[in-house]
Amino acid sequence: MDYNKLKEAVITEIDKLAEEMKAVAKAIHEKPEIGYQEYEASRLLCGFLEKNDFKVKRNIAGMETAFAASYPEKADGPTIALLAEYDALPGLGHGCGHNLIGTASVGAAVGLSKVLPKLKGRIAVMGCPAEEAGIDNAGGKVRLIKKGSFKDIDAAFIFHPFPMTTVGGETTTLLGLEFNFKGNPAHAAGNPWDGINALDGVLLTFNAINALRQHIRDGVRIHGIITHGGDAPNIVPEKASARFFLRTENKESLLEIIQKVKACAEGAATATGTKLEVNTFCNLYDSMKSNSVLASILEKNLNALGLSVEGRKKGKGSTDFGNVTRVVPACELGLRLGNGIVPHTREFLHAANSEEGFKVMMQGAKVLALSALDLLYSDGLLEKAKKEFEGVQKCNSTKVQKEK
Ligand SMILES: [Zn+2]
Ligand SMILES: [Zn+2]
């Protein structure tokens, strides 16, 4: 079959899935599950894939809701992975639109699989739990990478609904730090002098970090919440805890900020006489290093659907897809959802369960499938992407050696 016919066939196959995809995206939206608890979402997506002859491995890399799907199970050619996310935000449901992400990747893979026997190679869907970093051990992709789940993958794509249409771009690194202060309880009115106030440790940490803000580089983000502030106003708080996210442009500056923020908490512990315990609560999210060859493939296919890039992503957000871009050639597609609305808001939550949201999801599925098709079909394209990736890897390792 000639190339243009193949492309038309992929689009026709994805269009045939529209109603089913919409039903899956709706169901995931209406039963939001936070990271590592996405049992229903993962069941729906795996079921969709299995029904369409994909071989699905569930419960992988020590995560019950992670999965790896492949069609065919084995092939001589390369493996192109489409990544699925399907976790919700605590308290805000699918305010990041991950119901559309998981379903788009699955729909794209199934649509493409219908023409795949005519190609050499394999299409994979990686089910990646817990992208939202607010929960313990978040960063499903980081854990998949650590367990070797990406070692047979030659290139990876993901789609995300976004405030503008874009390919690639930049994200920041991210680490979650938790500070647990321990003091001594006492009657807050009767004998407060016998108490050691753990909450004061937390409050002074916030104040010290706020003082630090004037002396940090542009683009660094430090934001936190109090996760425990005591048990009753008439007891001097024995225990108090806070969680912070630290985000910077690169790993080197992240390490620097970690030290400074830790020093704020240590100072607070000294001032209050409390004991301090410091933990990291999520995996380190690396910044995104988009592959420019894959970015241009995504852009070409966007244009083929009558869409165009509206701007470059240079957000202060972070994603564990950044870690994926460090181990395989990879690129993210962002498609505009709504007009001037941003993820993690009620407006975005509603848009992710609207006709417009489902339309964007279908467009995302088509661009992903056509781009995977390009890599499997066009001679030399994947090699070009890999060559650029190896160049970046080499450049990174000499940089690290120099810094040692
Ligand atoms: Zn999000
Ligand atoms: Zn997201």
Side-chain angles (χ1 to χ4, degrees):
M1 206 189 279
D2 93 339
Y3 185 53
N4 288 331
K5 287 241 167 62
L6 271 178
K7 289 201 137 178
E8 277 169 34
V10 170
I11 289 177
T12 308
E13 291 298 336
I14 294 175
D15 276 331
K16 281 192 215 164
L17 302 169
E19 282 311 304
E20 195 175 356
M21 286 171 69
K22 184 174 152 179
V24 169
K26 241 183 155 16
I28 296 175
H29 192 282
E30 282 160 17
K31 190 176 187 264
E33 299 161 307
I34 62 165
Y36 301 127
Q37 292 176 33
E38 317 95 325
Y39 295 102
E40 182 63 12
S42 135
R43 190 186 69 77
L44 285 167
L45 297 172
C46 290
F48 195 153
L49 289 159
E50 277 168 343
K51 203 174 78 184
N52 286 285
D53 306 320
F54 274 71
K55 180 82 186 165
V56 183
K57 287 185 198 146
R58 298 160 192 249
N59 189 3
I60 59 166
M63 295 174 280
E64 287 182 352
T65 54
F67 64 87
S70 173
Y71 181 93
E73 191 179 356
K74 287 195 175 74
D76 288 336
T79 299
I80 311 302
L82 305 180
L83 307 195
E85 291 172 2
Y86 33 85
D87 59 322
L89 287 158
L92 193 60
H94 278 287
C96 207
H98 293 190
N99 60 315
L100 304 177
I101 300 177
T103 315
S105 281
V106 166
V110 169
L112 184 56
S113 75
K114 306 294 178 190
V115 307
L116 210 57
K118 302 169 189 75
L119 300 165
K120 269 189 176 173
R122 210 162 63 97
I123 182 82
V125 180
M126 298 301 297
C128 310
E131 190 278 332
E132 296 293 351
I135 57 152
D136 285 349
N137 208 4
K141 296 181 197 70
V142 186
R143 296 175 65 187
L144 284 165
I145 291 167
K146 276 187 195 152
K147 293 281 179 187
S149 304
F150 278 85
K151 71 178 187 325
D152 295 328
I153 287 166
D154 295 278
F157 290 113
I158 195 166
F159 142 76
H160 203 302
F162 202 61
M164 66 176 170
T165 297
T166 181
V167 294
E170 292 168 15
T171 60
T172 52
T173 60
L174 173 148
L175 188 72
L177 275 190
E178 181 180 71
F179 298 121
N180 296 311
F181 289 87
K182 193 168 180 305
N184 204 23
H187 195 292
N191 60 329
W193 46 85
D194 290 329
I196 296 176
N197 194 326
L199 177 60
D200 282 339
V202 166
L203 297 178
L204 286 180
T205 301
F206 271 87
N207 287 330
I209 289 172
N210 286 339
L212 174 67
R213 291 185 198 282
Q214 193 193 338
H215 310 287
I216 55 181
R217 291 178 200 283
D218 288 350
V220 174
R221 293 283 186 276
I222 308 170
H223 40 102
I225 57 166
I226 298 178
T227 49
H228 186 74
D231 298 300
N234 58 354
I235 310 168
V236 171
E238 182 184 9
K239 287 179 183 171
S241 303
R243 281 185 166 193
F244 288 88
F245 278 151
L246 319 183
R247 305 183 199 238
T248 64
E249 203 176 300
N250 56 47
K251 263 192 198 166
E252 293 74 37
S253 50
L254 184 66
L255 294 175
E256 192 187 322
I257 284 296
I258 291 171
Q259 293 315 321
K260 289 186 173 174
V261 169
K262 265 190 186 169
C264 290
E266 285 159 2
T270 304
T272 52
T274 48
K275 286 201 175 71
L276 171 68
E277 181 195 86
V278 185
N279 299 315
T280 55
F281 64 91
C282 74
N283 289 288
L284 194 155
Y285 288 19
D286 211 336
S287 55
M288 205 158 74
K289 191 91 203 164
S290 306
N291 187 281
S292 75
V293 178
L294 301 192
S296 53
I297 297 172
L298 287 172
E299 186 168 359
K300 188 191 76 176
N301 288 309
L302 263 179
N303 297 343
L305 292 182
L307 300 163
S308 51
V309 167
E310 296 168 341
R312 187 173 150 73
K313 180 173 179 171
K314 207 174 180 326
K316 294 292 167 247
S318 317
T319 168
D320 56 0
F321 186 68
N323 301 58
V324 175
T325 66
R326 306 292 175 151
V327 292
V328 290
C331 193
E332 184 187 56
L333 164 74
L335 289 183
R336 182 159 57 81
L337 176 56
N339 213 344
I341 59 170
V342 293
H344 296 207
T345 60
R346 295 237 173 260
E347 292 75 16
F348 211 80
L349 166 77
H350 297 310
N353 195 27
S354 68
E355 285 309 317
E356 191 200 348
F358 303 133
K359 190 177 149 200
V360 167
M361 170 184 77
M362 294 307 291
Q363 288 168 337
K366 287 174 189 175
V367 177
L368 292 188
L370 294 176
S371 302
L373 178 73
D374 280 337
L375 287 178
L376 291 171
Y377 192 85
S378 312
D379 277 342
L381 211 47
L382 182 59
E383 285 63 34
K384 211 173 142 195
K386 284 186 167 181
K387 211 167 170 193
E388 179 189 300
F389 176 74
E390 279 155 20
V392 171
Q393 295 283 88
K394 233 182 248 164
C395 169
N396 279 349
S397 63
T398 40
K399 223 168 107 188
V400 171
Q401 272 167 8
K402 264 190 198 159
E403 278 159 9
K404 268 182 185 169

PDB file of all heavy atoms in Angstrom, residues 56-90:
ATOM      1  N   VAL A  56      -1.025  -7.710  26.415  1.00  0.00           N
ATOM      2  CA  VAL A  56      -0.890  -6.742  27.514  1.00  0.00           C
ATOM      3  C   VAL A  56      -0.278  -7.404  28.747  1.00  0.00           C
ATOM      4  O   VAL A  56      -0.749  -8.439  29.200  1.00  0.00           O
ATOM      5  CB  VAL A  56      -2.268  -6.134  27.885  1.00  0.00           C
ATOM      6  CG1 VAL A  56      -2.106  -5.080  28.985  1.00  0.00           C
ATOM      7  CG2 VAL A  56      -2.947  -5.518  26.664  1.00  0.00           C
ATOM      8  N   LYS A  57       0.784  -6.777  29.275  1.00  0.00           N
ATOM      9  CA  LYS A  57       1.338  -7.219  30.562  1.00  0.00           C
ATOM     10  C   LYS A  57       0.911  -6.200  31.598  1.00  0.00           C
ATOM     11  O   LYS A  57       1.246  -5.021  31.479  1.00  0.00           O
ATOM     12  CB  LYS A  57       2.868  -7.250  30.504  1.00  0.00           C
ATOM     13  CG  LYS A  57       3.424  -8.394  29.694  1.00  0.00           C
ATOM     14  CD  LYS A  57       4.945  -8.416  29.807  1.00  0.00           C
ATOM     15  CE  LYS A  57       5.524  -9.251  28.683  1.00  0.00           C
ATOM     16  NZ  LYS A  57       6.800  -8.777  28.207  1.00  0.00           N
ATOM     17  N   ARG A  58       0.181  -6.673  32.613  1.00  0.00           N
ATOM     18  CA  ARG A  58      -0.282  -5.768  33.663  1.00  0.00           C
ATOM     19  C   ARG A  58       0.625  -5.887  34.871  1.00  0.00           C
ATOM     20  O   ARG A  58       1.422  -6.815  34.965  1.00  0.00           O
ATOM     21  CB  ARG A  58      -1.705  -6.169  34.091  1.00  0.00           C
ATOM     22  CG  ARG A  58      -2.719  -6.050  32.965  1.00  0.00           C
ATOM     23  CD  ARG A  58      -3.947  -6.906  33.312  1.00  0.00           C
ATOM     24  NE  ARG A  58      -4.821  -7.057  32.160  1.00  0.00           N
ATOM     25  CZ  ARG A  58      -6.018  -6.516  32.054  1.00  0.00           C
ATOM     26  NH1 ARG A  58      -6.495  -5.797  33.027  1.00  0.00           N
ATOM     27  NH2 ARG A  58      -6.745  -6.709  30.983  1.00  0.00           N
ATOM     28  N   ASN A  59       0.440  -4.960  35.803  1.00  0.00           N
ATOM     29  CA  ASN A  59       1.157  -5.037  37.074  1.00  0.00           C
ATOM     30  C   ASN A  59       2.657  -5.198  36.849  1.00  0.00           C
ATOM     31  O   ASN A  59       3.269  -6.183  37.263  1.00  0.00           O
ATOM     32  CB  ASN A  59       0.581  -6.224  37.881  1.00  0.00           C
ATOM     33  CG  ASN A  59       1.107  -6.275  39.304  1.00  0.00           C
ATOM     34  OD1 ASN A  59       1.860  -5.395  39.737  1.00  0.00           O
ATOM     35  ND2 ASN A  59       0.734  -7.306  40.029  1.00  0.00           N
ATOM     36  N   ILE A  60       3.259  -4.243  36.179  1.00  0.00           N
ATOM     37  CA  ILE A  60       4.695  -4.351  35.878  1.00  0.00           C
ATOM     38  C   ILE A  60       5.501  -3.358  36.718  1.00  0.00           C
ATOM     39  O   ILE A  60       4.954  -2.394  37.250  1.00  0.00           O
ATOM     40  CB  ILE A  60       4.989  -4.137  34.365  1.00  0.00           C
ATOM     41  CG1 ILE A  60       4.501  -2.750  33.906  1.00  0.00           C
ATOM     42  CG2 ILE A  60       4.362  -5.224  33.513  1.00  0.00           C
ATOM     43  CD1 ILE A  60       5.034  -2.335  32.552  1.00  0.00           C
ATOM     44  N   ALA A  61       6.795  -3.607  36.805  1.00  0.00           N
ATOM     45  CA  ALA A  61       7.749  -2.736  37.519  1.00  0.00           C
ATOM     46  C   ALA A  61       7.291  -2.423  38.943  1.00  0.00           C
ATOM     47  O   ALA A  61       7.542  -1.334  39.462  1.00  0.00           O
ATOM     48  CB  ALA A  61       7.980  -1.436  36.727  1.00  0.00           C
ATOM     49  N   GLY A  62       6.594  -3.389  39.551  1.00  0.00           N
ATOM     50  CA  GLY A  62       6.164  -3.214  40.944  1.00  0.00           C
ATOM     51  C   GLY A  62       4.996  -2.263  41.124  1.00  0.00           C
ATOM     52  O   GLY A  62       4.724  -1.817  42.235  1.00  0.00           O
ATOM     53  N   MET A  63       4.297  -1.939  40.029  1.00  0.00           N
ATOM     54  CA  MET A  63       3.139  -1.031  40.128  1.00  0.00           C
ATOM     55  C   MET A  63       1.915  -1.743  39.579  1.00  0.00           C
ATOM     56  O   MET A  63       1.871  -2.110  38.394  1.00  0.00           O
ATOM     57  CB  MET A  63       3.401   0.241  39.320  1.00  0.00           C
ATOM     58  CG  MET A  63       4.540   1.084  39.865  1.00  0.00           C
ATOM     59  SD  MET A  63       4.932   2.474  38.783  1.00  0.00           S
ATOM     60  CE  MET A  63       5.928   1.691  37.529  1.00  0.00           C
ATOM     61  N   GLU A  64       0.918  -1.912  40.433  1.00  0.00           N
ATOM     62  CA  GLU A  64      -0.279  -2.673  40.039  1.00  0.00           C
ATOM     63  C   GLU A  64      -1.004  -2.060  38.858  1.00  0.00           C
ATOM     64  O   GLU A  64      -1.651  -2.745  38.082  1.00  0.00           O
ATOM     65  CB  GLU A  64      -1.247  -2.760  41.226  1.00  0.00           C
ATOM     66  CG  GLU A  64      -0.779  -3.712  42.313  1.00  0.00           C
ATOM     67  CD  GLU A  64      -1.780  -3.819  43.450  1.00  0.00           C
ATOM     68  OE1 GLU A  64      -2.762  -3.053  43.486  1.00  0.00           O
ATOM     69  OE2 GLU A  64      -1.559  -4.684  44.312  1.00  0.00           O
ATOM     70  N   THR A  65      -0.936  -0.714  38.730  1.00  0.00           N
ATOM     71  CA  THR A  65      -1.719  -0.059  37.680  1.00  0.00           C
ATOM     72  C   THR A  65      -0.876   0.308  36.452  1.00  0.00           C
ATOM     73  O   THR A  65      -1.350   1.017  35.571  1.00  0.00           O
ATOM     74  CB  THR A  65      -2.416   1.200  38.242  1.00  0.00           C
ATOM     75  OG1 THR A  65      -1.413   2.031  38.844  1.00  0.00           O
ATOM     76  CG2 THR A  65      -3.459   0.834  39.276  1.00  0.00           C
ATOM     77  N   ALA A  66       0.368  -0.168  36.414  1.00  0.00           N
ATOM     78  CA  ALA A  66       1.199   0.058  35.222  1.00  0.00           C
ATOM     79  C   ALA A  66       0.982  -1.102  34.259  1.00  0.00           C
ATOM     80  O   ALA A  66       0.651  -2.216  34.670  1.00  0.00           O
ATOM     81  CB  ALA A  66       2.668   0.120  35.621  1.00  0.00           C
ATOM     82  N   PHE A  67       1.141  -0.832  32.968  1.00  0.00           N
ATOM     83  CA  PHE A  67       1.045  -1.928  32.004  1.00  0.00           C
ATOM     84  C   PHE A  67       1.899  -1.644  30.778  1.00  0.00           C
ATOM     85  O   PHE A  67       2.294  -0.497  30.530  1.00  0.00           O
ATOM     86  CB  PHE A  67      -0.419  -2.184  31.607  1.00  0.00           C
ATOM     87  CG  PHE A  67      -1.094  -1.051  30.876  1.00  0.00           C
ATOM     88  CD1 PHE A  67      -1.003  -0.928  29.496  1.00  0.00           C
ATOM     89  CD2 PHE A  67      -1.835  -0.098  31.574  1.00  0.00           C
ATOM     90  CE1 PHE A  67      -1.637   0.122  28.823  1.00  0.00           C
ATOM     91  CE2 PHE A  67      -2.469   0.960  30.904  1.00  0.00           C
ATOM     92  CZ  PHE A  67      -2.364   1.064  29.529  1.00  0.00           C
ATOM     93  N   ALA A  68       2.190  -2.722  30.055  1.00  0.00           N
ATOM     94  CA  ALA A  68       2.901  -2.585  28.781  1.00  0.00           C
ATOM     95  C   ALA A  68       2.145  -3.424  27.767  1.00  0.00           C
ATOM     96  O   ALA A  68       1.880  -4.607  27.986  1.00  0.00           O
ATOM     97  CB  ALA A  68       4.338  -3.086  28.924  1.00  0.00           C
ATOM     98  N   ALA A  69       1.759  -2.786  26.669  1.00  0.00           N
ATOM     99  CA  ALA A  69       0.994  -3.486  25.634  1.00  0.00           C
ATOM    100  C   ALA A  69       1.772  -3.441  24.338  1.00  0.00           C
ATOM    101  O   ALA A  69       2.486  -2.476  24.067  1.00  0.00           O
ATOM    102  CB  ALA A  69      -0.362  -2.821  25.459  1.00  0.00           C
ATOM    103  N   SER A  70       1.632  -4.493  23.552  1.00  0.00           N
ATOM    104  CA  SER A  70       2.404  -4.554  22.316  1.00  0.00           C
ATOM    105  C   SER A  70       1.609  -5.220  21.200  1.00  0.00           C
ATOM    106  O   SER A  70       0.849  -6.161  21.432  1.00  0.00           O
ATOM    107  CB  SER A  70       3.680  -5.357  22.596  1.00  0.00           C
ATOM    108  OG  SER A  70       4.373  -5.583  21.406  1.00  0.00           O
ATOM    109  N   TYR A  71       1.811  -4.701  19.983  1.00  0.00           N
ATOM    110  CA  TYR A  71       1.222  -5.326  18.801  1.00  0.00           C
ATOM    111  C   TYR A  71       2.199  -5.203  17.652  1.00  0.00           C
ATOM    112  O   TYR A  71       2.609  -4.091  17.349  1.00  0.00           O
ATOM    113  CB  TYR A  71      -0.101  -4.667  18.421  1.00  0.00           C
ATOM    114  CG  TYR A  71      -0.722  -5.327  17.203  1.00  0.00           C
ATOM    115  CD1 TYR A  71      -1.646  -6.355  17.342  1.00  0.00           C
ATOM    116  CD2 TYR A  71      -0.338  -4.937  15.922  1.00  0.00           C
ATOM    117  CE1 TYR A  71      -2.184  -6.974  16.220  1.00  0.00           C
ATOM    118  CE2 TYR A  71      -0.872  -5.559  14.804  1.00  0.00           C
ATOM    119  CZ  TYR A  71      -1.791  -6.576  14.954  1.00  0.00           C
ATOM    120  OH  TYR A  71      -2.309  -7.188  13.856  1.00  0.00           O
ATOM    121  N   PRO A  72       2.588  -6.257  16.999  1.00  0.00           N
ATOM    122  CA  PRO A  72       2.408  -7.627  17.491  1.00  0.00           C
ATOM    123  C   PRO A  72       3.306  -7.835  18.709  1.00  0.00           C
ATOM    124  O   PRO A  72       4.036  -6.937  19.089  1.00  0.00           O
ATOM    125  CB  PRO A  72       2.872  -8.469  16.299  1.00  0.00           C
ATOM    126  CG  PRO A  72       3.790  -7.579  15.521  1.00  0.00           C
ATOM    127  CD  PRO A  72       3.366  -6.175  15.765  1.00  0.00           C
ATOM    128  N   GLU A  73       3.241  -9.030  19.285  1.00  0.00           N
ATOM    129  CA  GLU A  73       4.019  -9.246  20.500  1.00  0.00           C
ATOM    130  C   GLU A  73       5.513  -9.126  20.202  1.00  0.00           C
ATOM    131  O   GLU A  73       6.276  -8.554  20.963  1.00  0.00           O
ATOM    132  CB  GLU A  73       3.698 -10.613  21.108  1.00  0.00           C
ATOM    133  CG  GLU A  73       4.277 -10.759  22.495  1.00  0.00           C
ATOM    134  CD  GLU A  73       3.960 -12.085  23.145  1.00  0.00           C
ATOM    135  OE1 GLU A  73       3.208 -12.883  22.529  1.00  0.00           O
ATOM    136  OE2 GLU A  73       4.448 -12.328  24.256  1.00  0.00           O
ATOM    137  N   LYS A  74       5.899  -9.697  19.052  1.00  0.00           N
ATOM    138  CA  LYS A  74       7.316  -9.620  18.663  1.00  0.00           C
ATOM    139  C   LYS A  74       7.392  -9.226  17.195  1.00  0.00           C
ATOM    140  O   LYS A  74       6.527  -9.597  16.402  1.00  0.00           O
ATOM    141  CB  LYS A  74       7.990 -10.983  18.850  1.00  0.00           C
ATOM    142  CG  LYS A  74       8.227 -11.335  20.285  1.00  0.00           C
ATOM    143  CD  LYS A  74       9.204 -12.502  20.418  1.00  0.00           C
ATOM    144  CE  LYS A  74       9.529 -12.787  21.870  1.00  0.00           C
ATOM    145  NZ  LYS A  74       8.408 -13.445  22.594  1.00  0.00           N
ATOM    146  N   ALA A  75       8.423  -8.483  16.844  1.00  0.00           N
ATOM    147  CA  ALA A  75       8.602  -8.110  15.439  1.00  0.00           C
ATOM    148  C   ALA A  75      10.081  -7.850  15.194  1.00  0.00           C
ATOM    149  O   ALA A  75      10.836  -7.592  16.136  1.00  0.00           O
ATOM    150  CB  ALA A  75       7.781  -6.876  15.121  1.00  0.00           C
ATOM    151  N   ASP A  76      10.472  -7.940  13.927  1.00  0.00           N
ATOM    152  CA  ASP A  76      11.885  -7.712  13.600  1.00  0.00           C
ATOM    153  C   ASP A  76      12.262  -6.236  13.685  1.00  0.00           C
ATOM    154  O   ASP A  76      13.348  -5.886  14.090  1.00  0.00           O
ATOM    155  CB  ASP A  76      12.171  -8.203  12.164  1.00  0.00           C
ATOM    156  CG  ASP A  76      12.161  -9.715  12.123  1.00  0.00           C
ATOM    157  OD1 ASP A  76      12.402 -10.318  13.190  1.00  0.00           O
ATOM    158  OD2 ASP A  76      11.906 -10.284  11.044  1.00  0.00           O
ATOM    159  N   GLY A  77      11.330  -5.393  13.303  1.00  0.00           N
ATOM    160  CA  GLY A  77      11.644  -3.963  13.195  1.00  0.00           C
ATOM    161  C   GLY A  77      11.650  -3.242  14.526  1.00  0.00           C
ATOM    162  O   GLY A  77      11.632  -3.860  15.596  1.00  0.00           O
ATOM    163  N   PRO A  78      11.673  -1.934  14.490  1.00  0.00           N
ATOM    164  CA  PRO A  78      11.728  -1.122  15.711  1.00  0.00           C
ATOM    165  C   PRO A  78      10.410  -1.109  16.494  1.00  0.00           C
ATOM    166  O   PRO A  78       9.365  -1.494  15.974  1.00  0.00           O
ATOM    167  CB  PRO A  78      12.041   0.280  15.176  1.00  0.00           C
ATOM    168  CG  PRO A  78      11.572   0.279  13.773  1.00  0.00           C
ATOM    169  CD  PRO A  78      11.692  -1.117  13.263  1.00  0.00           C
ATOM    170  N   THR A  79      10.509  -0.643  17.727  1.00  0.00           N
ATOM    171  CA  THR A  79       9.324  -0.496  18.582  1.00  0.00           C
ATOM    172  C   THR A  79       9.086   0.980  18.870  1.00  0.00           C
ATOM    173  O   THR A  79       9.966   1.660  19.406  1.00  0.00           O
ATOM    174  CB  THR A  79       9.535  -1.246  19.913  1.00  0.00           C
ATOM    175  OG1 THR A  79       9.725  -2.617  19.626  1.00  0.00           O
ATOM    176  CG2 THR A  79       8.335  -1.081  20.838  1.00  0.00           C
ATOM    177  N   ILE A  80       7.908   1.441  18.511  1.00  0.00           N
ATOM    178  CA  ILE A  80       7.543   2.826  18.810  1.00  0.00           C
ATOM    179  C   ILE A  80       6.506   2.800  19.923  1.00  0.00           C
ATOM    180  O   ILE A  80       5.502   2.093  19.825  1.00  0.00           O
ATOM    181  CB  ILE A  80       6.937   3.540  17.559  1.00  0.00           C
ATOM    182  CG1 ILE A  80       7.817   3.330  16.319  1.00  0.00           C
ATOM    183  CG2 ILE A  80       6.700   5.026  17.845  1.00  0.00           C
ATOM    184  CD1 ILE A  80       9.247   3.812  16.438  1.00  0.00           C
ATOM    185  N   ALA A  81       6.779   3.552  20.974  1.00  0.00           N
ATOM    186  CA  ALA A  81       5.864   3.542  22.127  1.00  0.00           C
ATOM    187  C   ALA A  81       5.038   4.820  22.195  1.00  0.00           C
ATOM    188  O   ALA A  81       5.550   5.917  21.987  1.00  0.00           O
ATOM    189  CB  ALA A  81       6.658   3.392  23.419  1.00  0.00           C
ATOM    190  N   LEU A  82       3.754   4.637  22.486  1.00  0.00           N
ATOM    191  CA  LEU A  82       2.881   5.755  22.803  1.00  0.00           C
ATOM    192  C   LEU A  82       2.592   5.640  24.292  1.00  0.00           C
ATOM    193  O   LEU A  82       2.245   4.561  24.779  1.00  0.00           O
ATOM    194  CB  LEU A  82       1.587   5.682  21.987  1.00  0.00           C
ATOM    195  CG  LEU A  82       1.787   5.586  20.468  1.00  0.00           C
ATOM    196  CD1 LEU A  82       0.448   5.524  19.752  1.00  0.00           C
ATOM    197  CD2 LEU A  82       2.622   6.761  19.945  1.00  0.00           C
ATOM    198  N   LEU A  83       2.775   6.720  25.026  1.00  0.00           N
ATOM    199  CA  LEU A  83       2.646   6.630  26.475  1.00  0.00           C
ATOM    200  C   LEU A  83       1.243   7.054  26.920  1.00  0.00           C
ATOM    201  O   LEU A  83       0.685   8.017  26.412  1.00  0.00           O
ATOM    202  CB  LEU A  83       3.685   7.514  27.164  1.00  0.00           C
ATOM    203  CG  LEU A  83       5.148   7.294  26.749  1.00  0.00           C
ATOM    204  CD1 LEU A  83       6.080   7.954  27.744  1.00  0.00           C
ATOM    205  CD2 LEU A  83       5.501   5.825  26.619  1.00  0.00           C
ATOM    206  N   ALA A  84       0.741   6.279  27.886  1.00  0.00           N
ATOM    207  CA  ALA A  84      -0.588   6.570  28.434  1.00  0.00           C
ATOM    208  C   ALA A  84      -0.442   7.051  29.879  1.00  0.00           C
ATOM    209  O   ALA A  84       0.287   6.448  30.670  1.00  0.00           O
ATOM    210  CB  ALA A  84      -1.459   5.318  28.385  1.00  0.00           C
ATOM    211  N   GLU A  85      -1.126   8.151  30.198  1.00  0.00           N
ATOM    212  CA  GLU A  85      -1.276   8.601  31.593  1.00  0.00           C
ATOM    213  C   GLU A  85      -2.764   8.580  31.882  1.00  0.00           C
ATOM    214  O   GLU A  85      -3.575   8.830  30.981  1.00  0.00           O
ATOM    215  CB  GLU A  85      -0.761  10.039  31.757  1.00  0.00           C
ATOM    216  CG  GLU A  85       0.748  10.167  31.604  1.00  0.00           C
ATOM    217  CD  GLU A  85       1.229  11.631  31.584  1.00  0.00           C
ATOM    218  OE1 GLU A  85       0.387  12.540  31.729  1.00  0.00           O
ATOM    219  OE2 GLU A  85       2.426  11.835  31.404  1.00  0.00           O
ATOM    220  N   TYR A  86      -3.135   8.305  33.125  1.00  0.00           N
ATOM    221  CA  TYR A  86      -4.564   8.189  33.444  1.00  0.00           C
ATOM    222  C   TYR A  86      -4.849   8.480  34.919  1.00  0.00           C
ATOM    223  O   TYR A  86      -5.897   8.133  35.446  1.00  0.00           O
ATOM    224  CB  TYR A  86      -5.088   6.791  33.044  1.00  0.00           C
ATOM    225  CG  TYR A  86      -4.038   5.697  33.197  1.00  0.00           C
ATOM    226  CD1 TYR A  86      -3.836   5.079  34.408  1.00  0.00           C
ATOM    227  CD2 TYR A  86      -3.216   5.336  32.124  1.00  0.00           C
ATOM    228  CE1 TYR A  86      -2.856   4.108  34.564  1.00  0.00           C
ATOM    229  CE2 TYR A  86      -2.224   4.366  32.267  1.00  0.00           C
ATOM    230  CZ  TYR A  86      -2.048   3.753  33.486  1.00  0.00           C
ATOM    231  OH  TYR A  86      -1.067   2.805  33.632  1.00  0.00           O
ATOM    232  N   ASP A  87      -3.889   9.141  35.593  1.00  0.00           N
ATOM    233  CA  ASP A  87      -4.111   9.470  37.005  1.00  0.00           C
ATOM    234  C   ASP A  87      -4.785  10.835  37.134  1.00  0.00           C
ATOM    235  O   ASP A  87      -4.643  11.702  36.274  1.00  0.00           O
ATOM    236  CB  ASP A  87      -2.786   9.472  37.786  1.00  0.00           C
ATOM    237  CG  ASP A  87      -1.768  10.468  37.244  1.00  0.00           C
ATOM    238  OD1 ASP A  87      -1.693  10.621  35.996  1.00  0.00           O
ATOM    239  OD2 ASP A  87      -1.051  11.100  38.036  1.00  0.00           O
ATOM    240  N   ALA A  88      -5.514  10.993  38.237  1.00  0.00           N
ATOM    241  CA  ALA A  88      -6.224  12.246  38.514  1.00  0.00           C
ATOM    242  C   ALA A  88      -5.479  13.026  39.589  1.00  0.00           C
ATOM    243  O   ALA A  88      -4.566  12.515  40.233  1.00  0.00           O
ATOM    244  CB  ALA A  88      -7.641  11.926  38.971  1.00  0.00           C
ATOM    245  N   LEU A  89      -5.903  14.271  39.781  1.00  0.00           N
ATOM    246  CA  LEU A  89      -5.315  15.127  40.811  1.00  0.00           C
ATOM    247  C   LEU A  89      -6.090  14.952  42.118  1.00  0.00           C
ATOM    248  O   LEU A  89      -7.326  14.922  42.089  1.00  0.00           O
ATOM    249  CB  LEU A  89      -5.432  16.587  40.387  1.00  0.00           C
ATOM    250  CG  LEU A  89      -4.503  17.024  39.256  1.00  0.00           C
ATOM    251  CD1 LEU A  89      -5.063  18.274  38.586  1.00  0.00           C
ATOM    252  CD2 LEU A  89      -3.114  17.305  39.800  1.00  0.00           C
ATOM    253  N   PRO A  90      -5.388  14.881  43.254  1.00  0.00           N
ATOM    254  CA  PRO A  90      -6.114  14.777  44.526  1.00  0.00           C
ATOM    255  C   PRO A  90      -7.052  15.976  44.689  1.00  0.00           C
ATOM    256  O   PRO A  90      -6.618  17.121  44.561  1.00  0.00           O
ATOM    257  CB  PRO A  90      -4.997  14.814  45.576  1.00  0.00           C
ATOM    258  CG  PRO A  90      -3.730  14.526  44.837  1.00  0.00           C
ATOM    259  CD  PRO A  90      -3.927  14.956  43.422  1.00  0.00           C
TER     260      PRO A  90
END
